[in-house]
């Protein structure tokens, strides 16, 4: 059996392969492109393409694709074979630099929010050389950005790369003030991924799971997560087999998956990778979600990535562990050992705090979806109110700066930022606060509000850009300073005073926090329709356009796509609800009702006691009438929502009128499940789904 180190990255055209396959000059030129963003010469591109093709064919590939991330939230690929015809009916295997660097897939049928008309099909993919090419299912996948004929971004990667460039520029500007000359500052991310596994044969009997990814009906099983015995519990054999298979596939693709365990809810699990550069982390997370679903099927399972597949048990999120690092390996959110390092850390910390406070609406928008609305705000995930957790020790430091009071530590007192008497700051001493949406955890921030199925690109675009904005603002102040240390101290002190409202170290699940947050002026955007209009807020449009992340058309397009997506998702769910009630639940209940009545009549003729049959028959009969009545009202509400013309009006109609009727219909159906013979019930139960994998 091969050892992990023997096959790790074997399906990746990584640095090791490039060194082996390319000449020294070509390798250096390519590395310069990767590290400094320099344009790749076409002669170099041709050489790289030839080497990439030869390597791919050696590893069984027959096709190549420009692998990209359109605004669907999933990935896209169009396969082209390497073959080209030769005289005599033969073929040769070719792949040229122009095919590596640029592709031209049809762009007409992807969501564009008006950036492209259906008749304007042309779109371009451009190679992202900072993310290694890889082989998947015998296809050489080349990570690319995707843009329109006019150059506007049609994907999630392009603005992510732009946001990384913006933060790199701003962070270097600040570091220069501290005497640090670095080539690059990159944001790094380690996204933890939660998911559910259910038996494939049971999944195939649930239309709601097939069409929507979540159960629209289902009474809670006698046992849920209340015993807390699943969390970090012994992993079941079928699940462990899946995890082993998954690890091998991901390791071949060079993805640094490290941690696996059972999560809180039955049938729920988590996977976590090692940190890597943000755009690569985004690529890897998209690949991971795809491979998880493929490997699950291979093992007779289905991987559910919906944020709330089961009512009554915890949903699934994705924790975005975010930090900033220089090309010299220095983590800018790591408290240092010297006064100068600590001052630098505090300034970058202040940039993040100010960014989260001023752009809390954008961070909420970045995690807004129909699925995540069921999870945020429940006692299983962070609240929809964005706030920052720092921990008591770091909070003490900020309080001492704000109030000009000494902080005693090791016999030294904190007086001025940059002064020799500044003590070492606490390192990795914060306790994790799972109720906080944005928690500092020693040398990084954990943004916990992302949904399980989310692309991590959106959240990181918002975060990178907002922090870049604040770093630029700080640099403008400090570049004019006559006394740098004094100005630095006053700047940090001023920032703490003006933005401390966003810091909350308490219990985010406590009901009193909602009132306190409101008093502080923090937003509580509970649902996606409430959050999305903030996309177009003037300050947010200015932020994106100033830093070149989006132009106004690109911003508006993403707003339109998000609104349309929400309405489409809820519409599909409502139609599925009605389909299941009409074709499955009502017929099944009617059959069982008839069986009960037939039994009742037969027993009554014999003079036997019919109390059970009579009482249950009445419950079922009354329940059928109630279900039919609510179903009719849902149909009416759905028609009203479908008729709405405006984007905001339509999504609000689905949220305010359709979803409540769906919830009422679910309650009516679920209330009868415990009264019906299991052989009559038309779908697998929660007990089957949550505890069916051994």
């Amino acid at each position: 059996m091969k050892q992990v180190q023997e096959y790790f990255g074997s399906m990746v055209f990584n640095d090791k392969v490039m060194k082996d396959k390319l000449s020294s000059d070509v390798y250096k030129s390519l590395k310069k492109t990767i590290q400094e963003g320099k344009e790749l010469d076409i002669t170099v591109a041709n050489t790289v393409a030839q080497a990439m093709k030869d390597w791919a064919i050696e590893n069984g590939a027959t096709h190549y694709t420009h692998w990209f991330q359109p605004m669907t939230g999933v990935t896209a690929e169009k396969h082209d074979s390497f073959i080209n015809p030769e005289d005599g009916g033969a073929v040769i295997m070719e792949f040229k630099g122009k095919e590596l660097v640029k592709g031209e897939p049809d762009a007409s049928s992807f969501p564009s929010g008006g950036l492209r008309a259906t008749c304007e099909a042309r779109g371009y993919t451009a190679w992202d050389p900072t993310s290694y090419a890889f082989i998947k299912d015998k296809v050489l996948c080349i990570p690319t950005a995707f843009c329109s004929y006019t150059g506007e971004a049609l994907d999630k990667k392009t603005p992510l790369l732009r946001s990384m460039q913006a933060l790199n520029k701003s962070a270097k500007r600040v570091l220069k003030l501290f005497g640090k000359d670095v080539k690059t500052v990159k944001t790094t991310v380690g996204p933890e991924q939660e998911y559910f596994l259910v038996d494939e044969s049971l999944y195939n009997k649930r239309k709601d799971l097939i069409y929507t990814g979540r159960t629209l009906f289902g009474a809670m099983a006698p046992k849920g997560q209340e015993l807390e015995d699943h969390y970090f519990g012994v992993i079941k054999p079928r699940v462990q087999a899946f995890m082993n298979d998954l690890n091998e596939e991901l390791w071949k693709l060079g993805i640094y998956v490290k941690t696996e365990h059972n999560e809180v809810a039955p049938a729920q699990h988590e996977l976590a990778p090692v940190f890597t550069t943000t755009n690569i982390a985004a690529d890897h997370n998209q690949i991971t979600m795809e491979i998880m679903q493929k490997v699950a099927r291979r093992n007779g399972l289905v991987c559910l990535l919906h944020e709330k597949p089961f009512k009554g048990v915890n949903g699934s999120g994705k924790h975005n562990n975010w930090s900033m690092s220089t090309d010299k390996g220095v983590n800018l959110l790591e408290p240092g050992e010297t006064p100068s390092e600590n001052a630098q850390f505090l300034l970058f910390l202040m940039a993040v705090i100010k960014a989260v406070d001023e752009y809390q609406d954008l961070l909420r928008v970045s995690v807004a979806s129909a699925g995540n609305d069921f999870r945020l705000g429940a006692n299983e995930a962070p609240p929809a109110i964005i706030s920052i957790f720092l921990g008591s020790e770091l909070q003490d430091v900020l309080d001492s700066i704000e109030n000009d009071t000494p902080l005693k530590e090791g016999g030294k007192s904190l007086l001025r930022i940059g002064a020799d008497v500044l003590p070492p700051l606490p390192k990795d001493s914060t306790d994790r606060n799972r109720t906080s949406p944005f928690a500092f955890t020693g040398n990084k921030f954990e943004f916990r509000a992302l949904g399980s199925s989310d692309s991590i690109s959106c959240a990181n675009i918002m975060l990178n850009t907002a922090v870049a904005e604040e770093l630029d603002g700080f640099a403008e102040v400090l570049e004019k300073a006559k006394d740098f240390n004094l100005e630095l101290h006053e700047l940090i002190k001023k920032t703490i005073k003006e933005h401390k409202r966003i810091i909350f170290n308490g219990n985010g699940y406590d009901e009193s926090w909602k009132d306190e947050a409101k008093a502080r002026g923090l937003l509580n955007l509970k649902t996606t329709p409430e959050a999305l209009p903030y996309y177009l807020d003037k300050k947010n449009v200015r932020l994106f356009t100033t830093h070149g992340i989006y132009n106004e058309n690109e911003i508006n397009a993403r707003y339109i796509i998000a609104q349309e997506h929400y309405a489409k998702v809820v519409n599909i769910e409502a139609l599925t609800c009605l389909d299941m009630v009409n074709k499955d639940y009502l017929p099944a209940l009617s059959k069982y009702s008839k069986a009960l009545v037939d039994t009742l009549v037969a027993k009554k003729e014999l003079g036997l006691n019919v109390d059970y049959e009579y009482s249950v028959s009445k419950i079922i009969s009354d329940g059928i009438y109630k279900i039919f009545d609510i179903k009719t009202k849902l149909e009416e509400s759905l028609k009203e929502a479908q008729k709405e013309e405006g984007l905001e009006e339509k999504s609000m109609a689905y949220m305010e009128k359709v979803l409540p009727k769906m919830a009422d219909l679910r309650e009516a159906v679920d209330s009868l499940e415990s009264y019906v013979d299991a052989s009559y019930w038309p779908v697998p139960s929660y007990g089957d789904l949550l505890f069916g994998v051994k």
Side-chain angles (χ1 to χ4, degrees):
M1 184 175 72
K2 281 190 175 182
Q3 298 296 311
V4 175
Q5 55 267 41
E6 294 179 67
Y7 66 80
F8 185 88
S10 59
M11 293 291 108
V12 184
F13 193 74
N14 56 26
D15 196 65
K16 181 181 177 183
V17 176
M18 288 190 284
K19 275 185 178 177
D20 181 51
K21 299 287 185 181
L22 302 173
S23 68
S24 176
D25 289 344
V26 171
Y27 172 76
K28 287 177 182 176
S29 178
L30 180 58
K31 288 295 287 184
K32 195 168 186 178
T33 297
I34 293 171
Q35 292 171 352
E36 300 177 23
K38 303 292 184 184
E39 189 172 340
L40 191 66
D41 183 88
I42 189 61
T43 57
V44 174
N46 281 329
T47 305
V48 173
Q50 178 69 33
M52 197 181 283
K53 183 254 310 180
D54 292 344
W55 168 81
I57 291 172
E58 287 170 12
N59 284 279
T62 57
H63 290 67
Y64 70 91
T65 183
H66 276 198
W67 182 82
F68 58 101
Q69 299 170 38
M71 291 184 284
T72 55
V74 294
T75 58
E77 49 195 65
K78 180 189 77 170
H79 300 175
D80 286 298
S81 71
F82 290 120
I83 67 167
N84 274 298
E86 265 203 327
D87 292 341
V91 295
I92 58 171
M93 305 295 267
E94 282 189 340
F95 183 54
K96 297 179 180 177
K98 64 178 182 179
E99 295 165 327
L100 167 64
V101 173
K102 181 179 173 184
E104 192 178 320
D106 188 328
S108 61
S109 297
F110 290 109
S112 71
L115 289 176
R116 306 294 297 149
T118 302
C119 61
E120 298 170 326
R122 196 181 296 269
Y124 294 109
T125 48
W127 179 33
D128 171 17
T130 64
S131 186
Y132 296 134
F134 58 94
I135 297 171
K136 175 172 65 72
D137 299 327
K138 296 187 177 182
V139 177
L140 172 65
C141 298
I142 302 160
T144 57
F146 181 44
C147 63
S148 71
Y149 178 71
T150 53
E152 290 170 312
L154 295 173
D155 65 346
K156 293 179 180 290
K157 167 162 275 196
T158 302
L160 178 62
L161 292 172
R162 291 170 180 170
S163 75
M164 292 172 66
Q165 289 174 351
L167 189 136
N168 173 52
K169 181 180 176 183
S170 302
K172 288 196 296 182
R173 184 179 174 188
V174 169
L175 287 172
K176 191 174 182 180
L177 296 168
F178 286 90
K180 308 286 177 62
D181 185 18
V182 301
K183 289 183 179 179
T184 57
V185 174
K186 293 182 179 179
T187 54
T188 57
V189 172
E192 302 167 35
Q193 178 74 55
E194 294 176 341
Y195 61 96
F196 280 82
L197 289 175
V198 298
D199 187 274
E200 185 177 18
S201 63
L202 300 176
Y203 169 91
N204 290 334
K205 296 175 182 177
R206 298 274 324 204
K207 292 178 188 175
D208 46 3
L209 285 178
I210 292 169
Y211 296 144
T212 75
R214 74 180 180 101
T215 53
L216 301 175
F217 301 96
M220 194 57 211
K223 180 187 177 185
Q225 64 188 53
E226 61 271 23
L227 293 180
E228 301 172 329
D229 55 342
H230 191 256
Y231 191 52
F232 282 18
V234 175
I235 299 172
K236 295 174 182 176
R238 283 184 71 189
V239 175
Q240 188 63 67
F242 157 81
M243 289 179 171
N244 293 343
D245 197 356
L246 176 64
N247 287 336
E248 183 172 344
E249 292 296 329
L250 294 178
W251 286 337
K252 286 178 185 176
L253 292 170
I255 298 174
Y256 297 98
V257 288
K258 188 172 181 68
T259 303
E260 60 189 29
H261 62 84
N262 290 345
E263 254 299 333
V264 174
Q268 187 185 32
H269 313 279
E270 182 177 298
L271 170 153
V274 177
F275 283 66
T276 190
T277 308
T278 303
N279 65 311
I280 297 173
D283 285 356
H284 283 181
N285 188 248
Q286 292 293 141
I287 298 169
T288 296
M289 290 191 287
E290 177 191 333
I291 300 298
M292 286 167 72
Q293 292 170 315
K294 286 183 178 179
V295 170
R297 293 280 188 171
R298 191 189 301 167
N299 285 270
L301 303 168
V302 173
C303 175
L304 303 178
L305 293 173
H306 194 282
E307 286 72 26
K308 192 72 172 179
F310 299 101
K311 182 182 178 182
V313 299
N314 280 13
S316 295
K318 182 144 46 190
H319 303 162
N320 189 82
N321 294 283
W322 179 92
S323 191
M324 299 172 276
S325 295
T326 71
D327 57 287
K328 297 178 180 178
V330 177
N331 184 340
L332 298 175
L333 291 179
E334 181 86 63
E337 299 290 346
T338 67
S340 176
E341 288 173 341
N342 282 337
Q344 177 183 292
F345 159 73
L346 285 171
L347 188 64
F348 276 91
L349 179 69
M350 289 302 105
V352 177
I353 290 172
K354 189 169 187 279
V356 174
D357 186 27
E358 292 187 341
Y359 297 99
Q360 55 184 281
D361 51 352
L362 277 182
L363 291 181
R364 175 64 183 91
V365 166
S366 77
V367 299
S369 70
N372 216 16
D373 283 356
F374 290 103
R375 173 179 161 268
L376 292 180
N379 286 358
E380 61 190 77
I385 305 164
I386 300 296
S387 66
I388 293 177
F389 169 84
L390 292 180
S392 57
E393 291 190 30
L394 195 50
Q395 185 65 58
D396 288 344
V397 173
L398 300 193
D399 289 344
S400 71
I401 296 171
E402 180 189 1
N403 301 314
D404 282 323
T405 54
L407 176 71
K408 295 288 185 180
E409 185 172 322
K412 296 180 180 179
S413 297
L414 174 62
L415 297 175
R416 291 280 179 194
I417 301 299
D420 292 338
V421 290
L422 184 67
L425 294 176
K427 273 190 175 184
D428 201 21
S429 58
T430 56
D431 189 13
R432 295 184 69 187
N433 186 331
R434 65 187 301 272
T435 74
S436 174
F438 203 84
F440 185 69
T441 55
N443 61 3
K444 62 186 182 297
F445 279 97
E446 183 180 29
F447 189 18
R448 297 174 55 87
L450 282 72
S452 176
S453 63
D454 281 351
S455 162
I456 68 169
S457 293
C458 294
N460 287 290
I461 289 166
M462 309 300 193
L463 190 53
N464 291 347
T465 310
V467 173
E469 168 76 2
E470 308 308 347
L471 289 172
D472 274 344
F474 288 172
E476 286 175 15
V477 172
L478 294 173
E479 284 167 352
K480 301 172 185 175
K482 294 180 180 179
D483 184 328
F484 179 78
N485 284 342
L486 179 62
E487 192 66 55
L488 178 61
H489 177 83
E490 293 304 316
L491 177 60
I492 291 175
K493 180 179 176 180
K494 179 174 181 287
T495 306
I496 294 169
K497 284 186 174 181
E498 292 178 354
H499 300 283
K500 64 182 179 182
R501 67 171 185 168
I502 200 71
I503 301 170
F504 178 64
N505 295 313
N507 181 6
Y509 294 165
D510 195 314
E511 282 296 310
S512 64
W513 167 231
K514 294 177 184 176
D515 294 330
E516 184 181 337
K518 185 177 180 180
R520 293 186 183 194
L522 301 182
L523 296 170
N524 185 8
L525 305 173
K526 298 177 184 178
T527 66
T528 294
E530 292 172 87
L532 290 181
Y534 285 87
Y535 229 135
L536 304 181
D537 189 273
K538 286 183 180 179
K539 72 172 176 61
N540 297 334
V541 172
R542 186 203 61 78
L543 174 75
F544 289 132
T545 55
T546 298
H547 292 277
I549 312 304
Y550 300 120
N551 61 35
E552 290 196 29
N553 288 336
E554 290 171 328
I555 297 168
N556 196 56
R558 279 150 181 80
Y559 165 74
I560 292 170
I561 290 168
Q563 288 280 20
E564 289 179 342
H565 186 266
Y566 178 87
K568 289 175 181 177
V569 166
V570 180
N571 188 65
I572 291 168
E573 291 184 346
L575 291 173
T576 304
C577 254
L578 293 169
D579 186 83
M580 293 179 74
V581 166
N582 287 329
K583 296 178 181 178
D584 300 317
Y585 288 112
L586 284 177
L589 288 166
S590 182
K591 285 180 184 177
Y592 187 58
S593 179
K594 181 181 183 301
L596 282 172
V597 171
D598 289 347
T599 302
L600 184 152
V601 171
K603 288 178 71 175
K604 199 170 185 180
E605 287 178 355
L606 295 172
L608 301 175
N609 185 291
V610 293
D611 287 352
Y612 166 74
E613 286 79 9
Y614 178 80
S615 61
V616 176
S617 292
K618 188 174 188 317
I619 290 170
I620 299 296
S621 181
D622 291 346
I624 289 173
Y625 173 78
K626 186 176 182 181
I627 290 168
F628 184 78
D629 180 57
I630 299 171
K631 175 191 82 76
T632 303
K633 292 176 180 175
L634 172 59
E635 289 169 338
E636 292 169 357
S637 296
L638 184 58
K639 286 178 183 177
E640 290 177 21
Q642 290 169 339
K643 288 178 183 177
E644 291 286 354
E645 296 292 335
L647 290 171
E648 290 184 29
E649 292 80 6
K650 185 180 281 289
S651 62
M652 288 299 290
Y654 275 107
M655 187 265 287
E656 293 178 343
K657 297 177 181 178
V658 175
L659 283 175
K661 292 292 188 300
M662 289 171 57
D664 291 344
L665 188 56
R666 175 180 190 141
E667 185 179 348
V669 172
D670 291 356
S671 68
L672 299 183
E673 187 172 345
S674 62
Y675 293 98
V676 178
D677 186 319
S679 64
Y680 283 84
W681 201 248
V683 298
S685 69
Y686 265 29
D688 297 330
L689 291 165
L690 291 171
F691 299 96
V693 178
K694 305 298 182 184

